[in-house]
Amino acid sequence: MTATATTAAPEPAATRARRLSLLNVAFELRAFIALAVLIVIFGLLSDSFLTVPNLITMTKHVAINGVIALGMLLVILKGGIDLSVGSIVGLSGVVAGELLQGLHVGGVIAYPPVWVVIVLCVAVGMAVGLINGVLVTRFNVAPFIATLGMLYVARGAAMLISNGATYPNLGGNPALGNTGFELLGSGRPLGLPTSIWIMILLAVAAVLLLAKSPFGRWLYATGGNERAADLSGVPIRRVKTIVYVISGACAAVAGLIIASELTSAAPQAGETYELNAIAAVVIGGAALSGGRGTVRGTLVGAFVIGFLADGLVILGVSTFWQILIKGAVIILAVMLDQGQQRFKRRGAAAAAVAASKKHD
Amino acid sequence: MTATATTAAPEPAATRARRLSLLNVAFELRAFIALAVLIVIFGLLSDSFLTVPNLITMTKHVAINGVIALGMLLVILKGGIDLSVGSIVGLSGVVAGELLQGLHVGGVIAYPPVWVVIVLCVAVGMAVGLINGVLVTRFNVAPFIATLGMLYVARGAAMLISNGATYPNLGGNPALGNTGFELLGSGRPLGLPTSIWIMILLAVAAVLLLAKSPFGRWLYATGGNERAADLSGVPIRRVKTIVYVISGACAAVAGLIIASELTSAAPQAGETYELNAIAAVVIGGAALSGGRGTVRGTLVGAFVIGFLADGLVILGVSTFWQILIKGAVIILAVMLDQGQQRFKRRGAAAAAVAASKKHD
Amino acid sequence: GSAEQPATSASASSGAAAAGGLIAIITPSHDNPFFKAEAEAAKAQAEKLGYQTSVASHDDDPNKQSELIDAAISRQAKAIILDNAGADASIGPVRKAAQGGIPVFLIDREINATGVAKAQIVSNNSQGAQLVAQSFVEAMKSKGNYVELVGKESDTNASVRSKGFADVISQYPDMKPVAKESANWDQQEAFTKMETIIQKSRDIQGVIAGNDTMALGAVAALKAAGLLKKVVVVGFDGSPDAIAAIKAGEMHATGLQPAALGATSAVDQADQFIKTGKTGKDEKQSIDCELVTADNADEFGVFARK
Amino acid sequence: MTGPILRAGEVTKVYGGTHALKGVDFDVAPGRVTALFGENGAGKSTLMKILAGIERPTTGHVELDGRPVRLHSSRDAADQGISIIHQELSLCPNLSIQDNLFLAREVRTAYGSIDRKAQREATAAVLHRLEEDVDPDRLVGDLRLGQQQLVEIARALLQQARVLIMDEPTSALTAPEVDVLFRVIRELTAAGVAVVYISHHLDEALEIADDVVVLRDGRLVATARADEVDIRWIVEQMVGRDQDTLFPSREPVLGEEALAVRRLTVADPAVPDRLAVNGLSLSVRAGEIVGVYGLMGSGRTELLETLAGRLRPSSGEVLLDGAPLHEAGIRDRIERGVVLVPEDRQRDGLVQTMSVGQNLSLAALGTFVRGLFVSQERERAAVTRTIADVTVKTSGAQAAIGSLSGGNQQKVIIGKALLTGPRVLLLDEPSRGVDVGAKADIFELMAAQARRGLAVLFTTSDAEEALHIPDRLLVLARGILVGEFRRGELGRGGLTREELMRVSDGGAQDGSS
Ligand SMILES: Nc1ncnc2c1ncn2[C@@H]1O[C@H](COP(=O)(O)OP(=O)(O)OP(=O)(O)O)[C@@H](O)[C@H]1O
Ligand SMILES: Nc1ncnc2c1ncn2[C@@H]1O[C@H](COP(=O)(O)OP(=O)(O)OP(=O)(O)O)[C@@H](O)[C@H]1O
Ligand SMILES: [Mg+2]
Ligand SMILES: [Mg+2]
């Protein structure tokens, strides 16, 4: 009877496994479909949309939101949210501007080399993220509130440092040995803009982190069942703190890319970017409740948002319609998701009933 | 044996019961303290702060956020969030503007009387809220995403209706019998601005709804433990939908007040108001997880935010500092909350041990 | 149903492309009537000259502006008419367009670089500001307490105008600034801040605002406080609403920027350049603003003389 | 025989209102299986959680190898060689089996990445040892509840602990699976591992045990060698009073058929293509108490939740007094007189943010409404009456619900149900996690309601209850009705727990799922 029991169990189990993996694929499929639909529509309506240069340009635009969204994905996988990324984008740009203008240290002005500037900016982003993490883990402030507060604090800091002004020509000066900053934005190694390479790089890193490293397992576990993760000895507090730090770092990188592309840094840069990042992650099939989400899905989500925006511009759709359509797309994409899940459920149940009927 | 068990229960229970009510009071106390601190500081730093007219003016400013926050409180009590209120503010103003400019019905232009205009605007707000509710309850879209989408949709709609333009002088025209709209903003029954009366009215209504009506109890139950509420026969879907509708209505009212004060309606009015409303509710001691929060606390929270903003202006603090300080205050207020709760909990444990000692 | 409708418009657009080519018109958000008027004037002129147009707004986000310019480049626009998103932040993108072989014609706002754009047709903010300030001072009989409402601090025009005001007013020792607040170009914010400032002291004789939207916000606040009769309010831009307010005696004056004029002449020069390779004008051209008061209010329409 | 590896000294533990442990001394000897007995809520899990570092004792201490230790976390304890199988599953459903087994203990390659190959092999090995050869990369969320429990066990085995605590490891296992587990336990003890074993299946526990320890209401009341005692003795120690006072004997007065279920089939909400209830038919008459016994995962909760209207059946029909309840939702069913007292108090029963009174009146709120508002007087009156009726020990209606002991919380939920004036009372494991006193009160309540002509349908995992409470007992296995016994065949001299156990594994034979 053990035999029958064991043979009885795995059979549907296997199918279930298949269905589930199908489901996971489907999540990205959904995002992919949305993207495909967009591309087809825009491709038909505008002959300039599907040109290689335009695709590269749009991807370059996607990169910025994509980079932020990768950080946001980690936070959301853990079941949190990070509203402060937009302000971090502005802050990191401002810090870069300040540093490239030269530091006044006791009378003399020091011009740190570009790599130092970059490191420092990312560090600033991580610092803000760390504050978010500490507020959430140590002081049990709800992620929404903690990061909302930091949204204001970081933006205020950016404004104060820059005194509201924009830092012009960050090109640097050969004499001062701080040139090369603009390459981050305008460089084109192997014909692709640097920012795209950065996104690819970070995406690969994220995949490795999530799929191959223990930290990735811990993160999914924490998002999936925090109590169980805790009991298993997962350092949930550290995991939670780290994701905010990473998210801050990604936002800072995005800020650097923008400043470099414009060779100037404006303190108000990045306003409302957090919303685009969250939208990308969710359209990519992640659950705000945590534990579910993939890098691939997130990137596709970012492409959906980015291509939508650029496509509408190319079609010359009025700004007002652009706003409305964006909202509609976000909702539709997620509804699609929900509908799909429910559909799967019903299908499975029906199948089970049928099976049982067959038995007796 | 059984005896001790049974007699053991009530004693500490009693103390804990007392502690609990204390706790609830303490939540508002916290907000009150924050408010008191602000008032004292600003009162000391500026002699014009604590004058009656200034207090009235500031309260008038608070009223707008206060009204939105009351709606937001209901949504948060249920464990949701409504990001679309800011856009609804803009939309309702635009609709008012459009209607007061006159409706083109088949050649002739109809000028609906003001009360009709007001009713229709509120209806529009409720309609947007209804969409939010349906998305959340029927399509299981996460509140954050559903209302984020509607944030864009409603704003886009406002822009499209108004074609981006501001509706000037909504004063109306005696000849057309559509005057009186400006009274909403500039009227002063019994010496207090109408907007303050509206806030008071809605606050009273909210108190009755939450404290006395079955709906209020259902709402607290749904927010406290949705599954339990469901099993107790609470119509959780209806409850959830209704709170979004009410929230939309409150936002629409706020939009009307603004349009009336300026006797002009701009489609971009109300941007980022959602954040202020959420902040007010949370500072007022509500839990984003739902089930905990009071009207009184929310109003105090709104006063904290409003008085802070105006006070800083009176002191002539730079805009940049204003942003930063606002963020800091939000975080601090909530940290205060958390610290307090933890403190209470420790107290409770200690007491229980003491009690147990006494028994054996 | 919805499928074919855009499809037709697509064929139409490609047809148009075959003709004059594309002119991209990029301005700040159209929820400000000034930029809307500007964009529409440019659009009208360009289409009159047989070009296809794409109108977009960068909402004062330098990054979005850069993206819009990228889009124009990859669509090989013949020219870009740009009301930019920051004197420094826009240099890079404009240069990028120039390198992409697309002439950029700046309107309304200048950038802190020359030789990059083909033309910078800027309404002379500082001249206009001084004009407004002058009439403001006269209306206040050269003395009294006044409030200044500044635009978004991160916006060049905010500081240029503020400076223009100061250049004039500072010459009158009896003009006393009681408050200088930023209201981010926003009416509701101006209203609220003005109300608060009034609470600080009702002894105010004048309000000078960086744009008309804020000026109208202040008017509403003053009206509510019953001070409007005693206070001189001036603004900037020359928006229809402001002109209406001036006619109604609620505002004293505003500096009208001939948005339409600048935009149309920018398109004309673009057309010239596309055809001949030169604009025939030097890069920096400033269009003087005009002072609008009760005396001449009737002569003005939407950001232009009638 | 060597001294204890692990011992708890004078341990007390207080949770909010509940006094879970009251000065317990407990020893764990190497190479032996110590069976820990006690009723629901006796404090077994609490004691184990303290030994495993999950909970800190309120007072008292823990000694490892004779030296006092402070166990700061379950991880800390695990590193010291103490591992535990949790009573309530603590797995991550969104991760694969191997990920769960090696969570926070990942095997790493030279590059620091996870060595999946090594993990998969180890996982396959340990699963094979448990004779449950499932793919290590299957998602845990996809497994049968029983399989999930085996994964939980496998995780503990992987840690090669010196002390292995098993808190209800078999609650969802079938007899064959239990036999496998016992084989493994014997191998472990032979290797000198100390095992603590907790189970509500007394005979099963007694079979594997070397030493027997009994807890009652947080006190250690008896210890003995397994071969010196029998089940009857254990039960007496557990209950601490004559069974007949705990299980009131009653003469049912049966009325008309109140509730009828015809070929009901329900898909498992957690695992859609598994049937939690499979073509089940039953009927309950007014004044009758019907019990449903089964393993965890046998579908009792789904059955009751379907009757209450929370779950939608895939097929079959439910009749109340002959009238179909088909489309009716929870709310309508409550109005028509069908109400459920759920299994999981914290998750489904209580609104923790509300007071005792508010929890009591929640389901019947409509009946207190006067005009627009809830009439305070009517509500207060009803609440006070109910508090007395169901004998809730509380400082008052406004006390925080969290301040009550498990038993009193359960009474509040029952009171809430009764306030709706039901015709059919459904109770899912009403005696779980409550002390003896409360337990007796609850059974008395059920009896009283039956006397008033209510139809009572309740579930239980406790054989003693199953044998003594109901007028009729239904045994469920894998959602199928595998046995039905009338009062005469139950308890005293009738059906024995051994037979009951055997029947309740019935699902194992016909592999319907
Ligand atoms: N986290 C907790 N919070 C509050 N009370 C608790 C908690 N855990 C246990 N209790 C209470 O402590 C007492 C003992 O619980 P425990 O789980 O140890 O009993 P048990 O013997 O394991 O019962 P069971 O056989 O049902 O597992 C019960 O009254 C229970 O309600
Ligand atoms: N195969 C499974 N996978 C995951 N969860 C399951 C599975 N089977 C049952 N469950 C869940 O475990 C809980 C108890 O199982 P179920 O209700 O099916 O049987 P039961 O007899 O009520 O068991 P219990 O003893 O827990 O009451 C329910 O919440 C059910 O959804
Ligand atoms: Mg237990
Ligand atoms: Mg159950």
Side-chain angles (χ1 to χ4, degrees):
Chain A
M1 68 194 248
T2 325
T4 54
T6 42
T7 49
E11 203 291 310
T15 57
R16 208 172 306 114
R18 244 174 281 115
R19 175 170 310 96
L20 192 105
S21 51
L22 272 179
L23 195 77
N24 280 341
V25 174
F27 281 133
E28 282 137 50
L29 255 187
R30 176 174 51 66
F32 273 115
I33 291 166
L35 185 56
V37 171
L38 282 181
I39 293 179
V40 170
I41 293 179
F42 287 131
L44 288 175
L45 296 185
S46 151
D47 33 19
S48 51
F49 183 83
L50 278 182
T51 59
V52 172
N54 186 45
L55 288 174
I56 292 183
T57 313
M58 293 196 298
T59 311
K60 183 161 140 250
H61 301 162
V62 168
I64 290 165
N65 184 23
V67 167
I68 303 175
L70 285 173
M72 186 68 73
L73 169 65
L74 300 192
V75 178
I76 287 180
L77 275 178
K78 158 245 150 186
I81 196 156
D82 188 349
L83 300 180
S84 64
V85 286
S87 301
I88 295 177
V89 166
L91 182 60
S92 116
V94 164
V95 171
E98 190 68 23
L99 293 174
L100 289 165
Q101 300 299 310
L103 289 170
H104 299 260
V105 268
V108 300
I109 306 183
Y111 291 91
V114 167
W115 69 266
V116 174
V117 173
I118 293 175
V119 170
L120 287 177
C121 288
V122 175
V124 169
M126 295 171 88
V128 178
L130 183 63
I131 301 179
N132 286 330
V134 169
L135 286 172
V136 171
T137 54
R138 304 282 154 188
F139 297 93
N140 307 321
V141 180
F144 188 96
I145 296 303
T147 56
L148 172 61
M150 291 311 290
L151 175 153
Y152 290 113
V153 173
R155 181 67 63 190
M159 289 293 185
L160 286 168
I161 295 173
S162 65
N163 193 13
T166 301
Y167 294 87
N169 44 37
L170 302 182
N173 178 337
L176 307 170
N178 62 349
T179 51
F181 182 68
E182 69 280 12
L183 290 181
L184 210 55
S186 56
R188 280 177 158 268
L190 312 179
L192 279 187
T194 327
S195 53
I196 297 185
W197 287 115
I198 295 178
M199 173 172 72
I200 296 174
L201 217 76
L202 289 177
V204 172
V207 169
L208 291 177
L209 184 73
L210 290 181
K212 297 248 169 290
S213 82
F215 179 85
R217 297 298 91 192
W218 297 352
L219 179 52
Y220 276 102
T222 310
N225 180 348
E226 185 168 334
R227 189 182 131 276
D230 190 16
L231 287 176
S232 316
V234 172
I236 49 176
R237 279 186 165 191
R238 205 183 331 141
V239 170
K240 288 169 141 189
T241 314
I242 290 176
V243 290
Y244 286 101
V245 173
I246 296 179
S247 171
C250 290
V253 171
L256 286 168
I257 296 174
I258 293 175
S260 156
E261 280 180 344
L262 306 175
T263 62
S264 73
Q268 75 274 27
E271 270 166 11
T272 74
Y273 282 18
E274 58 276 3
L275 299 183
N276 283 333
I278 295 170
V281 175
V282 173
I283 291 177
L288 283 178
S289 48
R292 196 188 83 203
T294 65
V295 170
R296 206 170 352 140
T298 300
L299 288 184
V300 177
F303 272 94
V304 170
I305 301 242
F307 278 22
L308 180 68
D310 285 1
L312 291 173
V313 170
I314 289 183
L315 291 189
V317 174
S318 92
T319 343
F320 306 153
W321 274 111
Q322 290 180 28
I323 301 173
L324 193 147
I325 294 173
K326 180 179 180 181
V329 168
I330 293 177
I331 294 175
L332 287 176
V334 179
M335 272 170 64
L336 213 63
D337 172 345
Q338 296 299 342
Q340 191 180 37
Q341 275 168 301
R342 208 179 307 171
F343 176 78
K344 294 267 174 211
R345 269 195 180 298
R346 227 176 277 119
V353 179
S356 75
K357 289 274 170 299
K358 210 159 63 272
H359 272 286
D360 30 86
Chain B
M1 160 77 259
T2 329
T4 54
T6 46
T7 53
E11 203 290 321
T15 56
R16 210 158 303 94
R18 246 172 275 117
R19 191 174 298 107
L20 186 99
S21 51
L22 273 178
L23 194 80
N24 281 341
V25 174
F27 281 131
E28 280 138 54
L29 255 187
R30 176 174 51 65
F32 273 117
I33 291 166
L35 185 57
V37 172
L38 281 182
I39 293 179
V40 170
I41 293 180
F42 287 129
L44 290 175
L45 296 183
S46 148
D47 36 16
S48 53
F49 185 84
L50 277 182
T51 60
V52 172
N54 184 48
L55 289 175
I56 292 182
T57 311
M58 293 196 298
T59 311
K60 182 158 149 256
H61 298 162
V62 169
I64 292 169
N65 184 25
V67 167
I68 304 176
L70 285 172
M72 186 68 74
L73 169 65
L74 301 191
V75 178
I76 287 179
L77 275 179
K78 157 247 153 183
I81 195 153
D82 187 351
L83 301 178
S84 65
V85 287
S87 301
I88 295 176
V89 166
L91 181 59
S92 119
V94 165
V95 172
E98 189 68 23
L99 293 174
L100 289 166
Q101 302 296 311
L103 289 170
H104 299 259
V105 267
V108 301
I109 305 184
Y111 292 90
V114 168
W115 69 266
V116 174
V117 173
I118 292 175
V119 170
L120 287 176
C121 289
V122 175
V124 168
M126 294 172 88
V128 178
L130 183 62
I131 301 179
N132 286 330
V134 170
L135 286 172
V136 171
T137 54
R138 303 280 156 190
F139 297 93
N140 306 320
V141 181
F144 187 97
I145 298 302
T147 57
L148 173 61
M150 290 311 290
L151 174 151
Y152 290 114
V153 173
R155 181 67 64 191
M159 291 292 186
L160 287 168
I161 296 173
S162 66
N163 195 5
T166 301
Y167 294 87
N169 43 36
L170 302 183
N173 179 337
L176 307 170
N178 63 350
T179 51
F181 182 68
E182 71 280 10
L183 290 180
L184 211 55
S186 56
R188 283 176 155 267
L190 314 181
L192 278 187
T194 326
S195 53
I196 297 185
W197 286 115
I198 294 178
M199 175 172 70
I200 295 174
L201 217 74
L202 290 177
V204 173
V207 169
L208 290 177
L209 185 73
L210 290 180
K212 298 244 175 290
S213 79
F215 178 85
R217 201 71 68 75
W218 289 345
L219 178 53
Y220 276 103
T222 310
N225 182 346
E226 185 169 331
R227 294 175 58 92
D230 186 21
L231 267 184
S232 307
V234 173
I236 52 176
R237 278 186 165 190
R238 208 187 325 149
V239 170
K240 289 164 116 183
T241 313
I242 290 176
V243 290
Y244 287 102
V245 173
I246 296 180
S247 171
C250 290
V253 171
L256 286 169
I257 296 175
I258 293 175
S260 159
E261 280 178 342
L262 304 173
T263 61
S264 77
Q268 71 272 36
E271 271 165 11
T272 74
Y273 281 19
E274 59 276 4
L275 298 184
N276 282 334
I278 295 170
V281 175
V282 172
I283 291 177
L288 284 178
S289 48
R292 202 189 81 206
T294 65
V295 171
R296 207 176 343 148
T298 301
L299 288 185
V300 176
F303 272 96
V304 169
I305 301 233
F307 278 21
L308 181 68
D310 284 0
L312 292 173
V313 170
I314 288 189
L315 294 188
V317 175
S318 93
T319 337
F320 306 152
W321 276 110
Q322 291 180 25
I323 301 173
L324 194 147
I325 294 174
K326 180 178 178 180
V329 168
I330 292 177
I331 295 176
L332 286 176
V334 179
M335 274 171 64
L336 211 66
D337 173 345
Q338 295 299 341
Q340 190 181 37
Q341 276 169 302
R342 208 179 305 173
F343 175 79
K344 295 275 175 203
R345 229 177 282 119
R346 230 178 270 117
V353 180
S356 72
K357 284 272 168 302
K358 207 151 71 292
H359 279 284
D360 315 345
Chain C
S2 63
E4 51 268 31
Q5 191 273 330
T8 53
S9 73
S11 54
S13 65
S14 46
L22 174 70
I23 289 186
I25 300 160
I26 305 171
T27 70
S29 172
H30 292 188
D31 59 31
N32 176 326
F34 177 83
F35 302 117
K36 197 166 163 50
E38 179 179 77
E40 278 163 358
K43 188 177 197 301
Q45 183 67 4
E47 279 166 0
K48 186 152 133 268
L49 296 171
Y51 291 94
Q52 183 200 358
T53 59
S54 88
V55 180
S57 100
H58 54 60
D59 305 332
D60 287 299
D61 174 348
N63 184 51
K64 189 168 178 203
Q65 167 180 273
S66 154
E67 296 183 357
L68 291 171
I69 287 176
D70 288 337
I73 295 172
S74 55
R75 297 176 65 195
Q76 290 125 16
K78 287 275 185 300
I80 298 175
I81 309 293
L82 172 66
D83 188 342
N84 70 70
D88 296 307
S90 305
I91 300 172
V94 173
R95 183 175 285 117
K96 184 171 51 184
Q99 285 158 356
I102 301 177
V104 180
F105 300 80
L106 298 177
I107 53 175
D108 179 38
R109 305 171 179 173
E110 53 193 346
I111 57 173
N112 298 338
T114 53
V116 192
K118 287 287 165 281
Q120 300 194 38
I121 308 167
V122 180
S123 49
N124 193 334
N125 276 287
S126 118
Q127 167 263 353
Q130 294 179 12
L131 216 54
V132 169
Q134 197 56 51
S135 135
F136 179 61
V137 172
E138 283 157 14
M140 284 182 66
K141 316 238 167 9
S142 321
K143 65 169 165 20
N145 300 330
Y146 72 95
V147 174
E148 180 180 354
L149 294 175
V150 190
K152 211 186 188 75
E153 263 104 336
S154 46
D155 184 331
T156 345
N157 278 345
S159 42
V160 173
R161 292 174 193 176
S162 184
K163 187 172 171 311
F165 294 155
D167 291 343
V168 174
I169 299 176
S170 56
Q171 299 162 16
Y172 300 86
D174 296 341
M175 296 284 293
K176 298 250 179 330
V178 290
K180 182 176 180 181
E181 273 290 330
S182 163
N184 296 311
W185 303 129
D186 179 76
Q187 192 171 6
Q188 165 69 3
E189 192 166 343
F191 174 80
T192 311
K193 292 213 159 141
M194 193 62 215
E195 278 199 323
T196 309
I197 293 166
I198 291 171
Q199 293 312 319
K200 198 158 137 192
S201 122
R202 294 179 65 87
D203 180 15
I204 299 170
Q205 288 76 40
V207 176
I208 186 163
N211 77 346
D212 286 337
T213 341
M214 294 190 290
L216 290 167
V219 167
L222 291 164
K223 206 194 271 174
L227 289 173
L228 191 51
K229 292 279 150 293
K230 301 189 228 48
V231 182
V232 179
V233 181
V234 299
F236 201 99
D237 278 352
S239 76
D241 300 352
I243 293 178
I246 291 174
K247 288 179 182 162
E250 297 181 335
M251 267 176 72
H252 170 65
T254 182
L256 180 136
Q257 308 189 64
L261 189 60
T264 31
S265 100
V267 175
D268 291 334
Q269 292 177 37
D271 180 52
Q272 187 71 11
F273 184 88
I274 294 166
K275 298 210 168 81
T276 69
K278 61 181 99 67
T279 63
K281 297 213 170 65
D282 36 3
E283 179 183 344
K284 289 244 176 197
Q285 311 160 38
S286 77
I287 303 176
D288 281 349
C289 302
E290 303 196 52
L291 184 69
V292 182
T293 61
D295 313 335
N296 63 353
D298 307 334
E299 303 160 22
F300 295 92
V302 179
F303 296 103
R305 280 193 169 276
K306 279 179 184 158
Chain D
M1 174 181 135
T2 60
I5 306 183
L6 186 64
R7 73 182 306 274
E10 273 300 306
V11 169
T12 69
K13 180 68 182 179
V14 179
Y15 288 112
T18 347
H19 206 169
L21 291 174
K22 304 166 183 168
V24 172
D25 292 290
F26 181 72
D27 295 357
V28 181
R32 294 176 72 78
V33 178
T34 310
L36 184 56
F37 294 98
E39 297 212 294
N40 295 124
K44 305 184 292 296
S45 297
T46 307
L47 180 58
M48 294 305 112
K49 284 178 187 159
I50 287 169
L51 290 179
I54 297 163
E55 298 276 4
R56 244 58 67 226
T58 312
T59 65
H61 62 282
V62 176
E63 288 175 15
L64 187 61
D65 301 319
R67 273 172 280 92
V69 285
R70 290 202 113 282
L71 300 169
H72 299 286
S73 68
S74 59
R75 184 51 189 273
D76 188 8
D79 296 344
Q80 309 236 27
I82 306 166
S83 59
I84 181 168
I85 296 163
H86 302 281
Q87 178 173 20
E88 57 292 314
L89 290 175
S90 56
L91 302 166
C92 298
N94 59 333
L95 295 185
S96 72
I97 298 176
Q98 67 156 308
D99 287 337
N100 270 282
L101 291 194
F102 285 91
L103 189 54
R105 296 180 180 74
E106 292 80 4
V107 183
R108 309 200 183 193
T109 63
Y111 323 103
S113 71
I114 299 176
D115 187 341
R116 296 231 168 257
K117 195 162 166 301
Q119 288 193 10
R120 190 174 298 107
E121 283 159 6
T123 307
V126 67
L127 287 177
H128 184 71
R129 187 179 179 190
L130 290 169
E131 294 178 19
E132 187 73 27
D133 294 300
V134 279
D135 175 359
D137 292 324
R138 282 266 301 283
L139 281 192
V140 162
D142 265 357
L143 300 177
R144 241 187 330 113
L145 200 58
Q147 292 174 310
Q148 293 186 5
Q149 201 156 38
L150 286 168
V151 171
E152 190 93 39
I153 295 170
R155 179 167 60 185
L157 292 180
L158 262 182
Q159 293 167 24
Q160 300 175 341
R162 300 158 54 209
V163 180
L164 178 52
I165 298 170
M166 301 184 163
D167 192 351
E168 298 276 356
T170 59
S171 54
L173 298 189
T174 59
E177 291 169 327
V178 173
D179 295 338
V180 174
L181 178 62
F182 281 6
R183 196 201 74 235
V184 174
I185 291 179
R186 293 210 177 81
E187 293 167 11
L188 289 173
T189 47
V193 176
V195 176
V196 181
Y197 189 93
I198 299 177
S199 173
H200 279 295
H201 302 323
L202 307 186
D203 54 342
E204 167 193 302
L206 198 56
E207 176 190 343
I208 189 74
D210 301 307
D211 305 313
V212 170
V213 176
V214 181
L215 279 184
R216 188 200 309 147
D217 291 340
R219 287 206 173 71
L220 192 152
V221 290
T223 57
R225 292 182 56 90
D227 43 33
E228 297 167 350
V229 300
D230 64 357
I231 292 184
R232 180 131 202 91
W233 179 85
I234 293 174
V235 172
E236 273 163 22
Q237 298 302 324
M238 279 167 54
V239 180
R241 63 195 217 182
D242 183 359
Q243 291 207 9
D244 307 342
T245 64
L246 177 57
F247 305 130
S249 59
R250 46 184 293 275
E251 271 322 312
V253 201
L254 299 188
E256 290 301 300
E257 175 183 83
L259 179 73
V261 177
R262 305 260 160 72
R263 299 197 54 72
L264 189 72
T265 301
V266 185
D268 187 313
V271 186
D273 64 356
R274 169 180 169 277
L275 292 183
V277 179
N278 189 348
L280 180 140
S281 302
L282 64 81
S283 86
V284 187
R285 299 168 62 180
E288 187 181 27
I289 299 182
V290 175
V292 180
Y293 179 84
L295 296 178
M296 188 172 157
S298 56
R300 294 163 297 172
T301 296
E302 277 79 358
L303 170 62
L304 265 53
E305 288 190 344
T306 309
L307 298 182
R310 163 176 277 173
L311 299 182
R312 290 243 157 277
S314 316
S315 67
E317 59 179 348
V318 179
L319 305 170
L320 176 64
D321 301 326
L325 278 176
H326 201 54
E327 280 316 309
I330 297 174
R331 190 171 174 66
D332 323 2
R333 294 190 189 214
I334 289 179
E335 268 158 20
R336 290 172 63 173
V338 181
V339 63
L340 169 68
V341 175
E343 168 183 29
D344 186 331
R345 271 202 300 279
Q346 304 303 331
R347 192 147 149 275
D348 296 334
L350 301 169
V351 180
Q352 291 81 355
T353 50
M354 306 209 306
S355 72
V356 171
Q358 291 171 326
N359 270 283
L360 271 170
S361 61
L362 184 58
L365 209 53
T367 60
F368 309 130
V369 176
R370 275 278 148 277
L372 280 179
F373 299 132
V374 177
S375 143
Q376 305 289 351
E377 309 74 55
R378 298 167 137 269
E379 182 182 7
R380 202 177 301 109
V383 164
T384 359
R385 178 162 36 79
T386 315
I387 288 180
D389 291 354
V390 299
T391 65
V392 178
K393 311 292 186 306
T394 171
S395 60
Q398 70 294 336
I401 193 70
S403 68
L404 269 55
S405 69
N408 283 296
Q409 290 182 350
Q410 186 71 319
K411 289 179 183 175
V412 169
I413 298 171
I414 295 176
K416 176 173 73 175
L418 294 180
L419 256 177
T420 65
R423 299 261 301 96
V424 176
L425 183 60
L426 309 169
L427 307 102
D428 196 355
E429 313 228 5
S431 66
R432 174 172 280 190
V434 305
D435 61 65
V436 190
K439 196 177 259 185
D441 297 346
I442 289 172
F443 295 147
E444 186 45 55
L445 264 171
M446 287 161 58
Q449 296 307 322
R451 247 177 269 117
R452 289 186 45 246
L454 264 69
V456 179
L457 180 65
F458 80 103
T459 71
T460 178
S461 308
D462 182 318
E464 282 303 315
E465 276 175 41
L467 295 174
H468 292 90
I469 302 300
D471 305 323
R472 200 146 50 82
L473 178 66
L474 309 177
V475 183
L476 219 56
R478 299 191 166 200
I480 297 172
L481 189 58
V482 292
E484 172 160 4
F485 307 89
R486 352 207 99 278
R487 189 173 189 75
E489 316 164 74
L490 292 175
R492 312 170 186 60
L495 179 75
T496 67
R497 30 171 77 250
E498 292 79 359
E499 291 159 350
L500 185 55
M501 303 287 144
R502 214 159 296 114
V503 179
S504 62
D505 293 343
Q509 283 84 341
D510 56 77
S512 59
S513 73

